[in-house]
Amino acid sequence: MYDLEFIIVTYNRPKYLKETLESFIVKKNNFNTRLLVLDGGNDNFLEDIDGEKKNTSKVFIDFKNEHRINDLVKYKQYNNNGNWHKIITDYVFNLSKAKYFAIIGDDDIFLDFNGFEKSMRFIKTKFKSEKIGIINLFYQDNTRINVIPIIDEMIDGKAYINNFIDLNYLDTQSVMHLYNLDIIKKYNCLHFLKLREKGLEDFFGWDIHFIFSLASNSKILYVNSNQTIEMGHQGNEIRYTVKFPLTQWICYYLYSKYTVTKLRKEGNLNLIRYRKFMLHWINSFFICYSKYLFSEYETREKDYNKVREYLKQDILIFVFKEIIK
């Protein structure tokens, strides 16, 4: 068993993945952990790396041979066009060998493991008897400037959900989540609407249900740390979320509506916060729609059509109906 596992769900980005792997092997030292690369891409996608055309599996093989490692880093290829719900489900129920895990981007860089080590030390000593579903660490993110500062503390999961809504954690809290695998399995926290099979995407929005379900059945530990990892370290790439703003929005809206409706029925969320959270997403729609109207991004038409085909109606009509509801 490992104290903590890191998983990377990657899709055709071998060049960035190589840097992530290198940073992991340099920084981990003697920390009881391993990293799993879960590849939803295929071997036909090649990038020029060190003067040679390489796919993701080749990058992993070369990395493993160079560092002569065995169990420290694992790789599994799914070749399923990046189907997140199948990959994550497989990890949780078939591949995991730790109490906690964290999801790492395939373009992230490990900066320091002190925060991870401190977290594991806390749950083995100071908070040993507590039912902790999520550990939150400071997450250096080059896309956010104003974030809520973190101190060492533990709060009730339902209070966390209320804070998430009241303090707009979605936009103001920059944290790395460590998730408790036992609680995930016990309370069926891993749930997918399988939106990719309906023409949308699975990796947008699923974390809303995941985090809220974990929180409503456990406690949340905050661990003050210096640096753990940096998000999107390249900084100059047109990210998928920018390419498909409307698709991103509808996925998050559907997951959010499903999640808070479920929490309302269970008595874990009041009506005022339910409405506030849904109105947050209505507001974010107009931001995404403005992006669609006024930016000539290359996937603009595809983005709109994905949403239009799913809704079977114009997206504006759908939104105005939702506002009335």
Side-chain angles (χ1 to χ4, degrees), residues 46-59:
L46 303 173
E47 284 189 319
D48 189 3
I49 302 174
D50 300 328
E52 179 183 351
K53 294 290 185 181
K54 296 183 180 181
N55 53 33
T56 303
S57 59
K58 174 64 172 171
V59 164

PDB file of all heavy atoms in Angstrom, residues 46-59:
ATOM      1  N   LEU A  46       1.966  11.472 -32.794  1.00  0.00           N
ATOM      2  CA  LEU A  46       3.408  11.610 -32.578  1.00  0.00           C
ATOM      3  C   LEU A  46       3.788  13.078 -32.417  1.00  0.00           C
ATOM      4  O   LEU A  46       3.202  13.961 -33.045  1.00  0.00           O
ATOM      5  CB  LEU A  46       4.186  11.024 -33.761  1.00  0.00           C
ATOM      6  CG  LEU A  46       3.910   9.553 -34.104  1.00  0.00           C
ATOM      7  CD1 LEU A  46       4.619   9.186 -35.400  1.00  0.00           C
ATOM      8  CD2 LEU A  46       4.372   8.642 -32.976  1.00  0.00           C
ATOM      9  N   GLU A  47       4.789  13.331 -31.550  1.00  0.00           N
ATOM     10  CA  GLU A  47       5.350  14.667 -31.390  1.00  0.00           C
ATOM     11  C   GLU A  47       6.865  14.583 -31.470  1.00  0.00           C
ATOM     12  O   GLU A  47       7.461  13.557 -31.116  1.00  0.00           O
ATOM     13  CB  GLU A  47       4.933  15.285 -30.058  1.00  0.00           C
ATOM     14  CG  GLU A  47       3.499  15.780 -30.034  1.00  0.00           C
ATOM     15  CD  GLU A  47       3.180  16.575 -28.783  1.00  0.00           C
ATOM     16  OE1 GLU A  47       3.625  16.173 -27.680  1.00  0.00           O
ATOM     17  OE2 GLU A  47       2.495  17.602 -28.899  1.00  0.00           O
ATOM     18  N   ASP A  48       7.471  15.670 -31.923  1.00  0.00           N
ATOM     19  CA  ASP A  48       8.925  15.735 -32.036  1.00  0.00           C
ATOM     20  C   ASP A  48       9.523  15.988 -30.656  1.00  0.00           C
ATOM     21  O   ASP A  48       9.366  17.067 -30.088  1.00  0.00           O
ATOM     22  CB  ASP A  48       9.319  16.854 -33.001  1.00  0.00           C
ATOM     23  CG  ASP A  48      10.812  16.828 -33.327  1.00  0.00           C
ATOM     24  OD1 ASP A  48      11.495  15.904 -32.847  1.00  0.00           O
ATOM     25  OD2 ASP A  48      11.285  17.724 -34.044  1.00  0.00           O
ATOM     26  N   ILE A  49      10.222  14.975 -30.113  1.00  0.00           N
ATOM     27  CA  ILE A  49      10.830  15.084 -28.788  1.00  0.00           C
ATOM     28  C   ILE A  49      12.284  14.652 -28.887  1.00  0.00           C
ATOM     29  O   ILE A  49      12.576  13.522 -29.272  1.00  0.00           O
ATOM     30  CB  ILE A  49      10.091  14.198 -27.768  1.00  0.00           C
ATOM     31  CG1 ILE A  49       8.596  14.585 -27.701  1.00  0.00           C
ATOM     32  CG2 ILE A  49      10.731  14.310 -26.395  1.00  0.00           C
ATOM     33  CD1 ILE A  49       7.775  13.677 -26.837  1.00  0.00           C
ATOM     34  N   ASP A  50      13.174  15.584 -28.585  1.00  0.00           N
ATOM     35  CA  ASP A  50      14.616  15.297 -28.645  1.00  0.00           C
ATOM     36  C   ASP A  50      15.031  14.766 -30.024  1.00  0.00           C
ATOM     37  O   ASP A  50      15.837  13.835 -30.138  1.00  0.00           O
ATOM     38  CB  ASP A  50      15.003  14.287 -27.560  1.00  0.00           C
ATOM     39  CG  ASP A  50      14.699  14.783 -26.160  1.00  0.00           C
ATOM     40  OD1 ASP A  50      14.778  16.001 -25.947  1.00  0.00           O
ATOM     41  OD2 ASP A  50      14.369  13.946 -25.284  1.00  0.00           O
ATOM     42  N   GLY A  51      14.452  15.372 -31.073  1.00  0.00           N
ATOM     43  CA  GLY A  51      14.824  15.008 -32.435  1.00  0.00           C
ATOM     44  C   GLY A  51      14.235  13.704 -32.925  1.00  0.00           C
ATOM     45  O   GLY A  51      14.627  13.207 -33.983  1.00  0.00           O
ATOM     46  N   GLU A  52      13.254  13.155 -32.199  1.00  0.00           N
ATOM     47  CA  GLU A  52      12.647  11.884 -32.603  1.00  0.00           C
ATOM     48  C   GLU A  52      11.134  11.972 -32.452  1.00  0.00           C
ATOM     49  O   GLU A  52      10.620  12.587 -31.516  1.00  0.00           O
ATOM     50  CB  GLU A  52      13.197  10.753 -31.723  1.00  0.00           C
ATOM     51  CG  GLU A  52      12.625   9.383 -32.044  1.00  0.00           C
ATOM     52  CD  GLU A  52      13.133   8.311 -31.100  1.00  0.00           C
ATOM     53  OE1 GLU A  52      14.058   8.602 -30.313  1.00  0.00           O
ATOM     54  OE2 GLU A  52      12.595   7.187 -31.149  1.00  0.00           O
ATOM     55  N   LYS A  53      10.413  11.376 -33.383  1.00  0.00           N
ATOM     56  CA  LYS A  53       8.956  11.338 -33.302  1.00  0.00           C
ATOM     57  C   LYS A  53       8.541  10.280 -32.283  1.00  0.00           C
ATOM     58  O   LYS A  53       8.877   9.116 -32.426  1.00  0.00           O
ATOM     59  CB  LYS A  53       8.346  11.013 -34.669  1.00  0.00           C
ATOM     60  CG  LYS A  53       8.569  12.075 -35.738  1.00  0.00           C
ATOM     61  CD  LYS A  53       7.758  13.331 -35.427  1.00  0.00           C
ATOM     62  CE  LYS A  53       7.883  14.356 -36.548  1.00  0.00           C
ATOM     63  NZ  LYS A  53       7.130  15.597 -36.253  1.00  0.00           N
ATOM     64  N   LYS A  54       7.788  10.712 -31.254  1.00  0.00           N
ATOM     65  CA  LYS A  54       7.405   9.786 -30.196  1.00  0.00           C
ATOM     66  C   LYS A  54       5.922   9.927 -29.856  1.00  0.00           C
ATOM     67  O   LYS A  54       5.370  11.024 -29.888  1.00  0.00           O
ATOM     68  CB  LYS A  54       8.227  10.034 -28.924  1.00  0.00           C
ATOM     69  CG  LYS A  54       9.718   9.774 -29.062  1.00  0.00           C
ATOM     70  CD  LYS A  54      10.424   9.984 -27.725  1.00  0.00           C
ATOM     71  CE  LYS A  54      11.922   9.735 -27.846  1.00  0.00           C
ATOM     72  NZ  LYS A  54      12.624   9.912 -26.539  1.00  0.00           N
ATOM     73  N   ASN A  55       5.310   8.781 -29.511  1.00  0.00           N
ATOM     74  CA  ASN A  55       3.963   8.813 -28.973  1.00  0.00           C
ATOM     75  C   ASN A  55       4.043   8.688 -27.447  1.00  0.00           C
ATOM     76  O   ASN A  55       5.133   8.589 -26.873  1.00  0.00           O
ATOM     77  CB  ASN A  55       3.097   7.707 -29.579  1.00  0.00           C
ATOM     78  CG  ASN A  55       3.753   6.333 -29.455  1.00  0.00           C
ATOM     79  OD1 ASN A  55       4.461   6.064 -28.490  1.00  0.00           O
ATOM     80  ND2 ASN A  55       3.534   5.474 -30.441  1.00  0.00           N
ATOM     81  N   THR A  56       2.892   8.688 -26.788  1.00  0.00           N
ATOM     82  CA  THR A  56       2.887   8.667 -25.322  1.00  0.00           C
ATOM     83  C   THR A  56       3.520   7.404 -24.758  1.00  0.00           C
ATOM     84  O   THR A  56       4.300   7.452 -23.798  1.00  0.00           O
ATOM     85  CB  THR A  56       1.446   8.807 -24.802  1.00  0.00           C
ATOM     86  OG1 THR A  56       0.873  10.012 -25.318  1.00  0.00           O
ATOM     87  CG2 THR A  56       1.427   8.875 -23.269  1.00  0.00           C
ATOM     88  N   SER A  57       3.199   6.259 -25.329  1.00  0.00           N
ATOM     89  CA  SER A  57       3.741   5.000 -24.809  1.00  0.00           C
ATOM     90  C   SER A  57       5.259   4.946 -24.966  1.00  0.00           C
ATOM     91  O   SER A  57       5.973   4.439 -24.100  1.00  0.00           O
ATOM     92  CB  SER A  57       3.092   3.796 -25.502  1.00  0.00           C
ATOM     93  OG  SER A  57       3.308   3.827 -26.894  1.00  0.00           O
ATOM     94  N   LYS A  58       5.773   5.509 -26.055  1.00  0.00           N
ATOM     95  CA  LYS A  58       7.218   5.547 -26.279  1.00  0.00           C
ATOM     96  C   LYS A  58       7.897   6.452 -25.259  1.00  0.00           C
ATOM     97  O   LYS A  58       8.974   6.132 -24.724  1.00  0.00           O
ATOM     98  CB  LYS A  58       7.508   6.034 -27.704  1.00  0.00           C
ATOM     99  CG  LYS A  58       8.980   6.252 -28.030  1.00  0.00           C
ATOM    100  CD  LYS A  58       9.807   4.977 -27.982  1.00  0.00           C
ATOM    101  CE  LYS A  58      11.208   5.231 -28.498  1.00  0.00           C
ATOM    102  NZ  LYS A  58      12.105   4.055 -28.259  1.00  0.00           N
ATOM    103  N   VAL A  59       7.271   7.596 -24.967  1.00  0.00           N
ATOM    104  CA  VAL A  59       7.806   8.510 -23.952  1.00  0.00           C
ATOM    105  C   VAL A  59       7.900   7.798 -22.615  1.00  0.00           C
ATOM    106  O   VAL A  59       8.911   7.895 -21.902  1.00  0.00           O
ATOM    107  CB  VAL A  59       6.913   9.766 -23.823  1.00  0.00           C
ATOM    108  CG1 VAL A  59       7.224  10.533 -22.530  1.00  0.00           C
ATOM    109  CG2 VAL A  59       7.112  10.685 -25.021  1.00  0.00           C
TER     110      VAL A  59
END
